Amino acid sequence: MADPMKIRAQMKGDICDIKILMSHPMETGQRKDSDGKVVPAHFIQSLSVDLNGKTVISGQTGTSISRNPVFGFKVKGAKAGDKVTVNWLDNKGDKRTDEATVS
Amino acid sequence: MKQSIAVAATLAMVIGGFCSQAVAKDTRSAAAVAAAPTPAAKDAATAEFDKFREVMEDSNPAELFEAKGEDLWQTRRGPKSAALADSCDLGLGIGVVKGAYVQMPRYFADAGKVMDAERRIVWCMIEKQGFSAEELFRTPFANENFTPEPTSLVTYVAGASRNLKIAVPIDEPHVQDVYRLGREVFSFRAGPYDFACATCHGEDGKRIRMQQLPNLAKKEEAIRAYQGWPGYRMTGGFMLTQQWRMNDCFRQQRFPEPRYLSDTVTSLLTYLTANANGNVYKGPGIKR
């Protein structure tokens, strides 16, 4: 099981600013280890952000994204107290879901 | 304040000294002074770095390591199945984390030594949790594939001192001795380059390429070496601590690298941190 995400969701005027920090190696499959063996690709391939159960953002991600990635989104129509749920799924089938409350 | 964030990451080496001035004056040549870029160019470049760092600090992956470290701190682990939260005294009482980082290095009577944060945490892991010293010393620093547990723990403990004033108990006699030792180490010229920390960090206005080098004997500049550590290195994506930073300073000077958690490194950290006393620490940072 992967380490938890850090999610921050704050209202700035009528826009909700969501920041997500993920803990993931994001291996590209291009790198070799000290023995010269290729390190197998291991990366987050899809992520979605739900607001009160309704998906507001979903997308596919790939190996061009850094290790321990940071994502930032701006969402309209949220209010303080709303529940933000973030899901990701990686190419090895590992996944993670974390929640935060809009403040 | 903004300035102190900014400069932390541009630091290549650490530490500055009193005795250094005499040494530095001998070595400073007229050519070196003439070759320095114009102040205007320097300021513009520094300002760009500042902006970049401000954006990055807003979402620092170091927070992930803080979370991991907190978990390690709270959990009962090791052969003695003890939690550091119930057994480890960082100087402010057993289990007290808030403010401990900015008040170390300090003297610990139970260990009979002055210890910096990482050294103390590892001491607790060995003494209180029963972890093997040999194991912990084998791979002390992080790389792309591995983060040592002490690194996460240090990040957590450092995070608990965010926005607090640095206050090394410099009046304590043991700390004072180690501080003096640190000042000696700082100015000790040796190695194939006949280098000392003070060669670069004992004088105002020095730089290596784009990096402005702080004069670490001064309070307002010593903070630049302290700020931003432990730091998340974006190249590679891993956490590094001040212990690593000191080791790397020795490597860069082509000195033999000190043993992990050695007295030498603690003395340098004592000198550096005590010189920065009174400044506000901004928590774990982010580095290129």
Side-chain angles (χ1 to χ4, degrees):
Chain A
M1 188 68 170
D3 287 327
M5 292 179 245
K6 284 254 170 184
I7 305 167
R8 220 170 21 203
Q10 269 179 322
M11 291 307 294
K12 285 183 180 162
D14 60 344
I15 287 173
C16 177
D17 194 13
I18 303 175
K19 283 266 165 64
I20 308 160
L21 264 169
M22 294 174 182
S23 183
H24 200 280
M26 296 300 283
E27 280 295 345
T28 61
Q30 312 264 12
R31 219 164 56 83
K32 288 176 179 164
D33 64 16
S34 50
D35 301 327
K37 273 189 270 174
V38 172
V39 183
H42 185 201
F43 57 90
I44 295 171
Q45 59 180 22
S46 70
L47 86 123
S48 67
V49 181
D50 297 357
L51 195 67
N52 291 334
K54 181 172 166 256
T55 302
V56 288
I57 295 154
S58 69
Q60 296 177 337
T61 52
T63 54
S64 62
I65 291 174
S66 81
R67 174 183 304 235
N68 298 333
V70 178
F71 291 97
F73 303 108
K74 291 191 191 328
V75 178
K76 261 190 190 168
K79 57 183 186 312
D82 282 1
K83 200 169 71 179
V84 176
T85 314
V86 182
N87 299 282
W88 59 250
L89 170 71
D90 73 18
N91 66 324
K92 290 187 177 173
D94 198 2
K95 57 190 165 194
R96 174 93 215 173
T97 302
D98 286 291
E99 284 181 356
T101 307
V102 178
S103 60
Chain B
M1 225 174 200
K2 188 173 157 192
Q3 195 187 14
S4 56
I5 316 179
V7 199
T10 61
L11 275 187
M13 301 205 226
V14 187
I15 323 271
F18 300 137
C19 317
S20 55
Q21 246 116 15
V23 176
K25 262 178 197 144
D26 296 341
T27 52
R28 184 167 62 171
S29 68
V33 174
T38 63
K42 185 162 70 184
D43 292 350
T46 308
E48 285 305 305
F49 271 129
D50 289 4
K51 265 192 255 167
F52 173 65
R53 214 159 291 115
E54 245 166 63
V55 172
M56 291 311 301
E57 271 172 4
D58 191 34
S59 338
N60 187 350
E63 283 181 40
L64 297 169
F65 294 85
E66 277 182 51
K68 215 177 288 179
E70 180 169 13
D71 196 45
L72 291 171
W73 180 263
Q74 304 286 359
T75 314
R76 294 162 72 96
R77 299 163 63 248
K80 295 188 185 170
S81 180
L84 292 173
D86 305 325
S87 60
C88 188
D89 182 352
L90 296 175
L92 304 178
I94 286 173
V96 179
V97 176
K98 191 175 165 65
Y101 186 78
V102 286
Q103 295 181 48
M104 283 189 277
R106 64 160 60 231
Y107 179 70
F108 291 95
D110 53 2
K113 289 235 173 239
V114 172
M115 294 175 147
D116 57 85
E118 185 161 354
R119 194 172 179 184
R120 182 61 181 178
I121 287 166
V122 172
W123 185 88
C124 284
M125 288 175 77
I126 295 166
E127 296 296 321
K128 308 293 182 189
Q129 296 185 306
F131 282 106
S132 135
E134 204 185 318
E135 200 78 2
L136 287 166
F137 278 55
R138 193 171 298 144
T139 38
F141 304 124
N143 60 42
E144 279 95 337
N145 306 313
F146 172 71
T147 306
E149 287 176 350
T151 299
S152 298
L153 282 161
V154 170
T155 309
Y156 163 60
V157 171
S161 283
R162 193 175 271 117
N163 299 326
L164 296 179
K165 262 194 188 156
I166 302 167
V168 175
I170 187 64
D171 295 333
E172 204 278 331
H174 294 90
V175 177
Q176 223 159 57
D177 283 350
V178 172
Y179 176 90
R180 279 196 213 103
L181 179 67
R183 193 165 63 192
E184 293 288 315
V185 173
F186 184 79
S187 306
F188 183 73
R189 273 168 69 168
Y193 288 2
D194 193 22
F195 238 62
C197 307
T199 312
C200 296
H201 292 289
E203 203 182 343
D204 290 346
K206 288 229 160 186
R207 44 190 280 145
I208 293 177
R209 291 192 248 168
M210 284 304 295
Q211 307 206 315
Q212 292 175 296
L213 304 174
N215 177 355
L216 297 173
K218 287 180 158 179
K219 177 182 166 184
E220 64 278 15
E221 297 198 31
I223 181 63
R224 287 168 50 187
Y226 187 82
Q227 206 68 273
W229 294 104
Y232 180 81
R233 176 145 286 183
M234 279 184 270
T235 314
F238 48 93
M239 274 316 285
L240 292 167
T241 61
Q242 274 195 314
Q243 280 283 336
W244 172 85
R245 181 58 263 183
M246 291 298 135
N247 243 59
D248 208 54
C249 288
F250 284 101
R251 184 193 62 77
Q252 286 178 320
Q253 294 180 75
R254 313 300 189 269
F255 272 55
E257 284 167 47
R259 208 168 43 88
Y260 182 47
L261 309 178
S262 77
D263 287 345
T264 307
V265 170
T266 302
S267 73
L268 274 174
L269 286 175
T270 306
Y271 177 68
L272 160 70
T273 314
N275 282 352
N277 262 359
N279 287 288
V280 173
Y281 174 60
K282 301 184 74 80
I286 190 158
K287 313 274 171 187
R288 290 169 298 159

